Amino acid sequence: MSKSKETPERRRERLRGEELKRNPTGNMNDAFHRAETGNLADLVGSLGWKGIGILLLVIIIGFIVASLF
């Protein structure tokens, strides 16, 4: 696949891979901080619009059930 027809998601992954090769200790630091805070961008990127809708629905229903008790 040529770089001009590269999707934004593939471009992000390619750039992330290049950064990991250049700076492996920074990757270890990022992994420690990601475990503490989570990474919403990766979650949203992997789910798609249907998955995000289901996730939001589950959160709203959970909030309603929790407020009843």
Side-chain angles (χ1 to χ4, degrees):
M1 178 181 275
S2 69
K3 289 185 180 183
S4 63
K5 295 187 180 200
E6 193 172 42
T7 64
E9 182 178 76
R10 288 193 185 266
R11 183 170 188 260
R12 279 192 302 268
E13 290 299 318
R14 181 179 52 81
L15 291 173
R16 192 171 118 195
E18 290 173 2
E19 177 65 27
L20 293 178
K21 288 177 186 175
R22 285 193 309 259
N23 191 2
T25 56
N27 177 36
M28 185 171 58
N29 187 29
D30 289 344
F32 285 129
H33 291 295
R34 186 176 297 137
E36 293 174 0
T37 61
N39 191 347
L40 185 60
D42 285 341
L43 175 65
V44 171
S46 66
L47 287 178
W49 69 272
K50 290 179 186 176
I52 294 170
I54 292 171
L55 180 64
L56 287 174
L57 187 64
V58 167
I59 290 171
I60 292 170
I61 291 172
F63 181 73
I64 291 170
V65 169
S67 66
L68 292 175
F69 294 111

